[in-house]
Amino acid sequence: MSIVVINALSVPEGQGSELEARFAARKHAVDQSPGFEGFNLLRPTGDNTQYFVYTQWASREDYENWRDSRDNAAAHASEDGKPRKPVASGAELLEFDIVEL
């Protein structure tokens, strides 16, 4: 059963463009991970300030393997491989099973 993992990122005013640029720079960083099925970055509208990082995985095990891997750390590093200061001021991880109807 496929699962969806959403990382809800609280982004301070004026930092959205930096967050989007960082995601654009590593858009395909997860593509080759086993079980990865898709990714979207959702920009907030209205009064909401949270961005949502939406990923879909073939199984919970595939997601957990990626989460615990060096590929995950590499996807969050800068171009020179060093950690960068986060743009978001907070994050909340949400996980869902996809209901086959």
Side-chain angles (χ1 to χ4, degrees):
M1 171 188 324
S2 291
I3 69 161
V4 167
V5 178
I6 299 173
N7 194 357
L9 303 174
S10 297
V11 179
E13 187 174 338
Q15 293 296 308
S17 60
E18 175 63 21
L19 180 81
E20 291 177 26
R22 289 184 185 189
F23 273 92
R26 58 186 173 90
K27 181 178 179 180
H28 298 288
V30 183
D31 288 357
Q32 300 306 312
S33 297
F36 178 74
E37 297 181 340
F39 159 84
N40 286 291
L41 178 63
L42 306 177
R43 179 188 300 130
T45 60
D47 294 333
N48 183 21
T49 61
Q50 282 187 308
Y51 275 77
F52 289 92
V53 181
Y54 173 104
T55 58
Q56 186 169 329
W57 299 86
S59 70
R60 183 166 308 283
E61 181 181 20
D62 288 326
Y63 165 70
E64 290 172 351
N65 287 339
W66 173 79
R67 180 195 64 200
D68 298 337
S69 73
R70 282 185 267 148
D71 292 338
N72 178 18
H76 289 90
S78 65
E79 291 177 8
D80 62 6
K82 297 178 182 175
R84 294 185 279 194
K85 181 179 177 187
V87 174
S89 60
E92 179 182 2
L93 198 60
L94 310 168
E95 298 183 30
F96 303 88
D97 290 333
I98 295 179
V99 179
E100 300 292 333
L101 302 175

